Structure formats: structure tokens, C-alpha cells
Amino acid sequence: MANNRTTQANGLDQRKIVFNAFFESPKTMKEVDQETGVMRENICRYVKYFRKRNTIALVGYRKCKVTGRTKVGAYTTNKDLFPISNQLKLF
């Protein structure tokens, strides 16, 4: 029986797949897991990688379409959808 998970892809390929999935529209990590086949544990690691590079943003909390849990973080890599910061810049 074939496994539809993209475990055969190397980390760089998976990172690109995850980045593109978040770019399409804001999604939860579990939604990206279901869509791409990349394990949620890896997606969590990639989100941390993207956050360190300011290429992903948390756009809010909502109900997950996969798990039904409420107040789940929705992320995007689309800069046009990043929330506007009200933080003053010091430098």
C-alpha cells in the first residue's frame, strides 16, 4: 500500500511545499498537513524556520477545518496578508 506522505522528499523540497501551501491562503498547520502530506511535526519545524526569517506571520485564530478545534493559529507566507504592526520602531 502506497503512503501519500511526502517523506521521500528531502527537507528543502518539503519546506518549499509548505511555504507554497501557506502562501495560497491562511491555514492551520494541520490543514497544510492534510493538503500536502507533509507531517505536522515537520510543518511545525518549518514554521519556526520561517518565523526566524520573518517570512511567515500569524494572521489570527480560528476553527481548524480538519480537527474542528477552536482558537487554532492560522499562518500565511503571503506578505500582502501580513497583519500591520502597531509597534513603534525605535531605530
Side-chain angles (χ1 to χ4, degrees):
M1 185 163 134
N3 185 351
N4 75 353
R5 294 231 175 244
T6 56
T7 53
Q8 308 302 3
N10 67 35
L12 184 59
D13 292 339
Q14 282 189 357
R15 201 172 2 165
K16 286 180 182 179
I17 291 167
V18 169
F19 184 92
N20 291 334
F22 280 119
F23 191 86
E24 294 169 5
S25 64
K27 296 178 181 137
T28 67
M29 291 185 214
K30 190 64 177 173
E31 290 168 352
V32 172
D33 173 341
Q34 290 291 105
E35 179 182 317
T36 63
V38 176
M39 291 174 48
R40 192 196 54 78
E41 293 83 352
N42 290 345
I43 293 169
C44 189
R45 187 176 323 116
Y46 300 142
V47 166
K48 180 179 176 182
Y49 174 87
F50 297 145
R51 288 188 82 157
K52 284 185 176 182
R53 287 155 183 77
N54 293 319
T55 56
I56 197 167
L58 176 68
V59 294
Y61 295 92
R62 62 174 175 76
K63 183 176 180 180
C64 179
K65 295 174 186 172
V66 176
T67 65
R69 289 186 169 253
T70 56
K71 287 195 90 175
V72 179
Y75 295 89
T76 186
T77 54
N78 185 341
K79 295 265 186 187
D80 294 336
L81 300 177
F82 279 25
I84 298 170
S85 173
N86 60 0
Q87 190 85 21
L88 297 175
K89 298 196 182 226
L90 295 175
F91 303 100

